[in-house]
Amino acid sequence: MAAHCVSKVELSISCSNLLDKDVGSKSDPLCVLLQSVGDDKWSEVERTERVKNCQDPEFSTKLHIDYHFEKVQKLKFGVYDIDNKSVDLKDDDFLGGFECTLGQIVSSRKITRPLQLKAAKPAGKGTITVCFTIFSSFSSIYYFYFQDMFGKSDPFLEFFKQEEDGKWQLVHRTEVIKNNLNPSWKKFMVSLHTFCSGDLNKPIKVSKGFYVQSDVNLSYCRILEAQYSFLDYVMGGCQINFTVGIDFTGSNGDPRSPDSLHYLSPNGVNQYLSAIWSVGQVVQDYDTDKLFPAFGFGAQVPPNFQVSHEFPLNFNPNSPYCQGVQGIVDAYRMVLPQIRLYGPTNFSPIINHVTRIASGAAQQPNAAQYFVLLIITDGEITDLDQTRQAIVNGSKLPMSIIIVGVGEADFKAMEFLDGDNGVLKSVTGEPVARDIVQFVPFKQFASAPKEALAQSVLAEVPNQLVSYFKMRNMAPVNPPSPVK
């Protein structure tokens, strides 16, 4: 399992046309940032300073929060008129609030929205603007090169970062250079999180190490290159396009029967819809038009009821797009009573559909498009050889594949496609250019929090996206400013 994409991000807040709650003077606003902890409960993250007598404040105090791509991080911004020294905001006048997800802010970089006193009740003409920057990218990688002058010895270097308690922690040790008066160590690669906790202003201590003791004067250190992070690409303009493929084979059971995996419970859900909601709610924040192609496979479809392994849920092959995740859910519910579940379980047609689109995006000279295909299935795959070839082809393109297995079937083939136990190869022996498949069985998350599925299946996507653009030596459409 890949490490989750965690970065410390910085939010700059400004407001305009705030309500005036003070008599004889203007309001003294402060902005507080809250994050949802579930069950309609919120936890304060940080707050800005108070700006006296101002209806158009631009707060100088920045708000910082950890960013997780694989989570839906719901945020609430509240603006208050502060007239006392108490930190408790219950005694202060509420000037308006705004709710969104951190993903929406990240993908937009800057958003301006009207403030509301409560749902559907605007706070006059008041607005809030939130600007996003990367405070420290934990996935950023830097290459370092060091050179020094010693007496004749067997030297090496050790690097330490300072922890919050003031203690120094070893983060890297170079190789030993034997019998060399002017050693130059090999360049090394280390994440900023490991090297300095993501803070470029954090002090680093370099200590000498010898098998024969001598004095050391560090004379040369140079950052050779920086590898772009996932956030660099997303902030730089990369769109993440979401496509869904749903298994409508007969092994799912008659949708009218409560035993069927496609049976809609009294509250209108099943494992298929739960998987769509879980993954889709995260990915949709990174697609500006929110138009998602959605397909089914393994069913007999009207009007002739021939078996199809690549039919659009809206029955419109010229425009298979659904508006948002809710649009996919609506199309699924609409198509279910109109088709006949059949078989077999073929993945390759839908994978090849996405690879054709990704192939066009790969011709672009920049990192503008990336594709995520979600396949939800109940059983063993029947076109394994063709699917292996499709995945090998897709590994050379800007795409990732997520497979969620529903029900109690044997998913050994899915685990094989995942490649965690070895490099996946086509039947001709061609290996994947990079790992692009992640499989999870839904039953593992039956009693877990609803967001756990998305966290598991999406955790590898950031590294997969970065690995593709690094393989192609592609910078973001709008690269970040160089580190000084």
Side-chain angles (χ1 to χ4, degrees):
M1 177 65 67
H4 290 190
C5 176
V6 183
S7 296
K8 182 77 71 175
V9 300
E10 183 175 88
L11 305 178
S12 301
I13 313 296
S14 61
C15 299
S16 298
N17 300 312
L18 293 179
L19 293 174
D20 188 359
K21 293 285 187 174
D22 289 347
V23 178
S25 65
K26 296 179 180 179
S27 295
D28 304 328
L30 167 152
C31 182
V32 61
L33 170 63
L34 307 173
Q35 182 171 9
S36 173
V37 293
D39 298 324
D40 203 28
K41 296 179 181 178
W42 299 83
S43 174
E44 180 174 335
V45 179
E46 284 187 346
R47 59 177 69 183
T48 68
E49 81 282 9
R50 179 181 67 159
V51 179
K52 293 185 177 181
N53 297 322
C54 184
Q55 289 179 275
D56 305 296
E58 185 170 342
F59 300 101
S60 61
T61 301
K62 311 303 181 185
L63 305 179
H64 302 98
I65 187 171
D66 289 337
Y67 163 77
H68 302 258
F69 165 74
E70 68 281 356
K71 293 182 180 180
V72 177
Q73 294 176 264
K74 295 181 180 179
L75 305 181
K76 180 188 293 186
F77 297 86
V79 183
Y80 292 83
D81 178 17
I82 307 299
D83 289 321
N84 55 60
K85 295 182 179 180
S86 172
V87 296
D88 191 347
L89 298 173
K90 293 179 181 178
D91 299 330
D92 300 299
D93 291 322
F94 183 55
L95 303 180
F98 162 62
E99 294 184 25
C100 66
T101 67
L102 184 54
Q104 289 173 320
I105 299 173
V106 168
S107 60
S108 301
R109 301 191 67 170
K110 177 181 180 180
I111 58 176
T112 299
R113 295 290 187 272
L115 290 168
Q116 293 188 320
L117 294 175
K118 58 182 181 180
K121 185 177 181 180
K125 297 182 179 179
T127 63
I128 184 171
T129 297
V130 183
C131 297
F132 162 84
T133 56
I134 304 175
F135 180 67
S136 66
S137 175
F138 287 4
S139 57
S140 291
I141 306 293
Y142 283 82
Y143 295 89
F144 295 87
Y145 174 67
F146 289 87
Q147 188 175 21
D148 216 326
M149 297 181 66
F150 295 85
K152 198 166 186 178
S153 58
D154 296 341
F156 58 92
L157 297 179
E158 292 181 329
F159 299 82
F160 299 80
K161 69 178 178 182
Q162 193 169 28
E163 299 289 4
E164 293 183 1
D165 60 4
K167 295 180 180 179
W168 294 91
Q169 178 187 352
L170 178 66
V171 294
H172 184 78
R173 180 183 291 114
T174 69
E175 77 280 10
V176 175
I177 305 293
K178 290 187 176 294
N179 292 322
N180 197 319
L181 292 172
N182 302 293
S184 293
W185 287 272
K186 295 177 182 177
K187 71 176 182 180
F188 62 89
M189 181 177 66
V190 62
S191 72
L192 285 184
H193 177 47
T194 299
F195 203 66
C196 57
S197 300
D199 184 354
L200 294 175
N201 295 315
K202 199 175 187 72
I204 293 293
K205 183 169 73 174
V206 184
S207 296
K208 60 185 177 180
F210 300 93
Y211 289 111
V212 177
Q213 187 65 39
S214 181
D215 293 328
V216 55
N217 292 302
L218 191 65
S219 63
Y220 187 64
C221 165
R222 180 162 60 100
I223 297 179
L224 294 179
E225 62 177 292
Q227 175 182 302
Y228 294 112
S229 70
F230 173 75
L231 275 178
D232 291 330
Y233 285 108
V234 172
M235 288 182 62
C238 183
Q239 291 286 300
I240 299 179
N241 303 280
F242 183 46
T243 301
V244 176
I246 300 175
D247 182 342
F248 287 107
T249 55
S251 54
N252 283 277
D254 187 341
R256 296 168 295 183
S257 169
D259 296 329
S260 172
L261 292 169
H262 280 297
Y263 176 75
L264 295 175
S265 66
N267 58 355
V269 298
N270 57 31
Q271 291 186 17
Y272 281 93
L273 289 180
S274 296
I276 292 170
W277 270 117
S278 180
V279 178
Q281 282 188 311
V282 174
V283 178
Q284 69 175 350
D285 285 342
Y286 303 89
D287 189 321
T288 53
D289 63 17
K290 305 290 187 292
L291 292 175
F292 306 130
F295 298 92
F297 59 91
Q300 295 175 324
V301 299
N304 299 322
F305 289 97
Q306 294 182 339
V307 177
S308 174
H309 298 290
E310 186 190 343
F311 64 91
L313 295 190
N314 63 6
F315 292 135
N316 185 350
N318 295 321
S319 183
Y321 303 100
C322 299
Q323 182 64 57
V325 179
Q326 184 62 54
I328 300 175
V329 172
D330 293 341
Y332 170 82
R333 289 173 173 161
M334 176 203 71
V335 78
L336 199 55
Q338 301 184 58
I339 59 175
R340 299 172 185 169
L341 277 59
Y342 202 70
T345 307
N346 292 348
F347 285 4
S348 60
I350 285 181
I351 296 176
N352 288 333
H353 176 94
V354 177
T355 58
R356 286 193 295 270
I357 301 173
S359 294
Q363 304 306 311
Q364 300 176 4
N366 52 34
Q369 301 281 332
Y370 196 82
F371 298 83
V372 174
L373 169 62
L374 169 64
I375 297 176
I376 314 172
T377 182
D378 83 311
E380 283 290 323
I381 185 172
T382 51
D383 65 338
L384 183 59
D385 290 348
Q386 294 89 337
T387 297
R388 289 165 61 185
Q389 185 62 58
I391 292 172
V392 169
N393 295 341
S395 70
K396 307 168 191 173
L397 299 169
M399 63 180 288
S400 294
I401 301 171
I402 296 167
I403 304 174
V404 176
V406 297
E408 301 295 329
D410 183 354
F411 293 112
K412 289 182 179 178
M414 304 301 105
E415 295 168 353
F416 172 72
L417 295 176
D418 191 308
D420 283 348
N421 296 322
V423 177
L424 179 69
K425 297 180 180 180
S426 69
V427 291
T428 61
E430 181 184 3
V432 290
R434 58 193 182 90
D435 179 20
I436 65 169
V437 178
Q438 171 72 357
F439 165 75
V440 296
F442 188 91
K443 61 184 178 183
Q444 287 186 359
F445 303 90
S447 58
K450 60 182 180 180
E451 64 272 11
L453 175 65
Q455 291 178 30
S456 178
V457 299
L458 292 173
E460 294 188 7
V461 170
N463 286 339
Q464 290 172 351
L465 181 149
V466 170
S467 71
Y468 171 76
F469 291 123
K470 181 181 179 181
M471 180 178 71
R472 293 287 310 278
N473 196 28
M474 284 185 171
V477 177
N478 298 301
S481 301
V483 176
K484 295 182 180 180

